[in-house]
Amino acid sequence: MRERIRLSIKRLKSKAASGEAGFSVLEAMVAIAIMAACLLPLFALQGQFVNVVGQIERVELQIEARDQALEVIKLTDFSAAPEAQLDFGQYQIRLSAKSASNTRPVKNSGGTSGRFEMTLYDVAVTIEYLSGNIDSFTVKELEWEETSGYLEGL
């Protein structure tokens, strides 16, 4: 057994001395070139991934801001305050409402005047982001206002 180990060590030493063991410089350079050719597309893919993530974040913020603007429109009484400006940190929302029609009484099913009046508003929405981007759109909002109590006239 010891003799086999000695012979193996002698063979390794003789190969190292003759230049047969290990990689040559040319082989190492070819291996590095192949590895670089395989890694470059991966780096390009990573760059595209970072860009897509940035775009997704911007779109999510835009959707959040538009949803928030629509919620504010639902809760705002434009007959009392036709202009509104709100700051939500990453964006500001400005609302400007103009009456799109005259105030009309709501008719009951029998054709008599009801308890409510309605007004249609054109609401211009402007969302300004911290990045400087501006998003604008217009929506129509129908407001109802009670003109008489439920039990009046009984």
Side-chain angles (χ1 to χ4, degrees):
M1 178 79 144
R2 286 184 188 182
E3 194 173 312
R4 280 187 182 174
I5 295 174
R6 284 183 196 162
L7 287 175
S8 297
I9 292 173
K10 281 183 184 180
R11 275 191 231 147
L12 288 174
K13 284 182 182 178
S14 67
K15 282 187 179 182
S18 67
E20 290 181 24
F23 293 106
S24 68
V25 173
L26 181 61
E27 289 172 329
M29 289 176 64
V30 168
I32 290 171
I34 291 171
M35 210 165 62
C38 292
L39 290 178
L40 284 176
L42 290 176
F43 289 137
L45 185 64
Q46 181 186 12
Q48 289 177 351
F49 178 73
V50 169
N51 290 339
V52 167
V53 168
Q55 288 175 349
I56 289 171
E57 288 174 352
R58 284 189 296 277
V59 169
E60 283 179 342
L61 181 63
Q62 185 180 23
I63 290 169
E64 174 192 332
R66 285 179 170 219
D67 284 347
Q68 191 68 42
L70 292 175
E71 287 298 320
V72 169
I73 289 170
K74 288 179 189 176
L75 298 174
T76 303
D77 179 10
F78 292 112
S79 61
E83 304 281 328
Q85 182 169 344
L86 300 134
D87 189 355
F88 290 94
Q90 293 182 339
Y91 52 88
Q92 281 188 336
I93 297 175
R94 286 191 307 269
L95 305 174
S96 177
K98 293 181 182 172
S99 179
S101 68
N102 294 331
T103 301
R104 299 179 188 174
V106 176
K107 303 283 185 184
N108 290 328
S109 59
T112 61
S113 291
R115 300 179 322 136
F116 295 95
E117 290 180 337
M118 65 179 184
T119 307
L120 182 65
Y121 289 95
D122 284 326
V123 182
V125 180
T126 304
I127 304 170
E128 188 173 340
Y129 300 93
L130 287 179
S131 63
N133 293 343
I134 295 176
D135 188 14
S136 307
F137 59 94
T138 304
V139 295
K140 295 201 180 290
E141 171 70 9
L142 186 62
E143 284 197 358
W144 301 78
E145 186 174 340
E146 188 174 24
T147 58
S148 63
Y150 182 72
L151 298 176
E152 273 185 35
L154 293 179

